[in-house]
Amino acid sequence: MTESLSKKANLPLVRRLEAVGFRAWPASSVQYDGSWQVRLTAGHPSNRLNSIVPLDPSDHRDVEIRLAKASRKFEAYGRPAVLRQTPLASPVLIDLVRQQQWVPFDETVVMTCDLAHAELPDTLDHLPTHDIGRFVDANLTTDGVSSKLKPALAEIINAIKPPSGLFMIEDAQTGPLATVLCVQDNDLAGIMSLSVAKERRREGLGIEILTSALRWARMRSARSAWLQVKVTNAPALALYGRLGFHEAYRYSYWRQEPPR
């Protein structure tokens, strides 16, 4: 799985998409060790908010000492250390975690789309809301996630600095049906938190709300869109492909398993 992550990648594009991704989903604590970023968020379990992120393939000085130091920060939060491997990670570091028997998981595809040529509706079927609390409630419901995460998710969305569009589809009788968050960072639009209620999937709600978000971003002068999807999510990959998204690069995580 992880062997191909650094092959044939456009490193300047990877660096830019990683940077806008950090701004689109901000961690509450970010510390640096050289080019490594250590992201931690006590109230939310997302790996994007809780991981060691190497950002320079040539930065492999004292990797064993630095990895142990970063891992202790996770221990202080009461959770196992997680490393995010993108094409920007040093092969020396990846060899080390492999030797230490860290476990890889959650391979993810980062996809991009040229909005100028994307076939989108001429009008917005759904307008963004400014009610963060209502959006968070809807997203947690459609995602089937515990409402206990509401304060943390609301804090994350409130901390997003680039302009954001919060989109929802609701039914007066049954409640939230679909949600998506679109973060516009200059000419790039990031698609986050796309979710459709389990009992209403395969009805076109996903593409309906996604195209509204992309149309909104294009009207605001975004030229490209990006998103992230797990390699195991075949329906989502097919949906994004129909809209013109294609793979830019992949990443995966490595987890430090607790001693038995």
Side-chain angles (χ1 to χ4, degrees):
M1 174 181 72
T2 57
E3 296 294 340
S4 62
L5 293 180
S6 61
K7 295 180 180 179
K8 300 180 181 178
N10 180 336
L11 294 187
L13 177 61
V14 175
R15 289 189 179 95
R16 189 173 185 215
L17 291 176
E18 287 292 293
V20 297
F22 296 152
R23 292 193 290 270
W25 207 240
S28 60
S29 171
V30 179
Q31 300 175 47
Y32 283 90
D33 181 351
S35 65
W36 297 8
Q37 193 179 97
V38 181
R39 297 165 58 80
L40 286 162
T41 303
H44 200 283
S46 165
N47 289 312
R48 279 189 281 182
L49 300 174
N50 296 279
S51 52
I52 305 162
V53 188
L55 297 171
D56 182 351
S58 66
D59 184 3
H60 47 74
R61 174 185 53 83
D62 299 328
V63 288
E64 190 165 359
I65 295 172
R66 293 164 67 193
L67 182 61
K69 179 181 177 182
S71 298
R72 286 195 292 271
K73 298 181 187 299
F74 284 79
E75 292 172 7
Y77 276 68
R79 58 182 54 158
V82 171
L83 174 74
R84 178 180 166 111
Q85 181 191 357
T86 74
L88 302 178
S90 166
V92 176
L93 174 59
I94 302 307
D95 285 344
L96 175 63
V97 297
R98 186 180 289 112
Q99 291 167 13
Q100 293 183 352
Q101 298 185 329
W102 289 41
V103 179
F105 66 102
D106 278 359
E107 185 173 9
T108 300
V109 183
V110 180
M111 307 182 79
T112 59
C113 172
D114 179 358
L115 284 181
H117 299 96
E119 294 186 9
L120 302 175
D122 293 331
T123 58
L124 280 176
D125 291 329
H126 303 280
L127 295 173
T129 179
H130 298 289
D131 190 334
I132 292 178
R134 182 179 166 197
F135 174 83
V136 168
D137 285 336
N139 180 252
L140 293 174
T141 298
T142 56
D143 238 357
V145 176
S146 171
S147 60
K148 293 179 180 179
L149 286 178
K150 180 176 180 177
L153 184 55
E155 182 179 351
I156 292 164
I157 294 175
N158 269 304
I160 298 172
K161 293 182 178 179
S164 302
L166 307 171
F167 292 83
M168 300 183 295
I169 300 177
E170 297 177 295
D171 182 274
Q173 278 72 44
T174 60
L177 302 180
T179 64
V180 71
L181 165 64
C182 183
V183 181
Q184 186 185 349
D185 197 328
N186 295 309
D187 64 334
L188 288 174
I191 297 298
M192 318 284 292
S193 300
L194 176 60
S195 177
V196 178
K198 187 175 182 180
E199 66 278 7
R200 297 297 300 272
R201 291 172 186 169
R202 302 184 185 280
E203 296 181 14
L205 292 170
I207 198 165
E208 179 181 332
I209 197 168
L210 176 57
T211 54
S212 288
L214 294 174
R215 172 89 178 150
W216 172 83
R218 188 164 70 180
M219 290 172 61
R220 295 173 54 87
S221 301
R223 298 172 59 188
S224 300
W226 63 271
L227 52 79
Q228 305 178 7
V229 57
K230 292 183 181 180
V231 296
T232 54
N233 192 342
L237 287 167
L239 166 65
Y240 301 144
R242 290 201 302 271
L243 286 174
F245 281 89
H246 61 273
E247 181 176 334
Y249 65 98
R250 297 187 179 198
Y251 69 83
S252 65
Y253 292 101
W254 292 78
R255 178 175 53 237
Q256 185 181 36
E257 295 289 342
R260 296 180 179 179

